[in-house]
Amino acid sequence: YITVDVPMVCLASGALYFAIKISSDGKGKDYFLAAILAALATTTKISAVLLLLPLFLAHVFQVNRRGGQWHEWFVDKRLLKSAVLFIGAYIIVTPGILVNFGPLTSHILRIFGGSDAGSVAAGANLAVESFASRTNLFGFYFGVIVASMTWPVFVLCAAGTVYAIWRRRQADILLLSFGIAVYLLMSLSA
């Protein structure tokens, strides 16, 4: 089935491609395309907001590559324009966020252990809380990943991950940062 995950991964892959280009070239159009694709991925599935981590790391690598200072990590024109573009594109494509920002915030807080007792039916909360209290989500999602990939493909991917960590190239760090951040986000949710 094609659900929100498939287009999100497609758009996220494009954003990560341009993040890699940012880390090596630092062209303005790469910042622009990375921001647009990340915003579109985020409108498809909110967890894609974690693309901001590899995009920011790509910018840091670019600043360091050209001999910039650490304060340029945060105040560089290209980064600030990209942030505005990301937010603007997200709002244009998902204008309901302006109306539903409060409920979305409450929902996110509830997912990560905050309480928002009045906004959701108690029965739905009990099912989620019961599952989360009985299950180690790190193990659960690890099992889901292995089952969906099969063991041979998982072993191959794990070997590639170890190799990428050993090589520590910028592209490897950018790609791993997104994958690890998504896994942690899923596993820390309730």
Side-chain angles (χ1 to χ4, degrees):
Y1 296 101
I2 296 176
T3 63
V4 296
D5 298 308
V6 173
M8 187 275 287
V9 169
C10 180
L11 293 163
S13 297
L16 290 168
Y17 170 77
F18 287 107
I20 292 168
K21 289 186 66 131
I22 288 169
S23 70
S24 61
D25 301 336
K27 293 180 181 172
K29 78 172 184 157
D30 296 332
Y31 279 86
F32 171 81
L33 292 169
I36 291 290
L37 290 170
L40 292 174
T42 303
T43 63
T44 307
K45 190 167 183 179
I46 195 72
S47 59
V49 74
L50 295 173
L51 283 166
L52 296 177
L53 173 64
L55 295 180
F56 178 72
L57 287 175
H59 172 70
V60 168
F61 291 150
Q62 175 55 35
V63 169
N64 291 346
R65 177 185 297 274
R66 62 181 161 81
Q69 302 295 319
W70 70 269
H71 64 84
E72 292 179 64
W73 294 355
F74 305 102
V75 295
D76 185 84
K77 276 194 299 189
R78 292 170 301 176
L79 178 70
L80 297 176
K81 285 180 184 178
S82 296
V84 168
L85 183 61
F86 175 87
I87 293 167
Y90 184 81
I91 290 171
I92 288 169
V93 177
T94 316
I97 190 70
L98 298 174
V99 177
N100 293 319
F101 187 73
L104 175 65
T105 304
S106 296
H107 177 70
I108 290 170
L109 289 174
R110 189 174 50 257
I111 288 172
F112 292 98
S115 65
D116 186 41
S119 67
V120 175
N125 274 343
L126 285 176
V128 170
E129 289 174 19
S130 176
F131 174 77
S133 65
R134 294 187 327 250
T135 307
N136 173 347
L137 292 179
F138 287 95
F140 173 79
Y141 284 116
F142 178 80
V144 168
I145 291 169
V146 171
S148 66
M149 298 175 93
T150 70
W151 273 104
V153 174
F154 176 77
V155 169
L156 184 62
C157 290
T161 300
V162 170
Y163 182 70
I165 291 170
W166 176 66
R167 295 270 320 258
R168 290 189 310 258
R169 294 181 313 176
Q170 290 179 355
D172 297 330
I173 292 169
L174 295 175
L175 294 174
L176 286 173
S177 70
F178 181 62
I180 290 169
V182 169
Y183 176 72
L184 290 175
L185 176 76
M186 292 184 327
S187 298
L188 293 173
S189 68

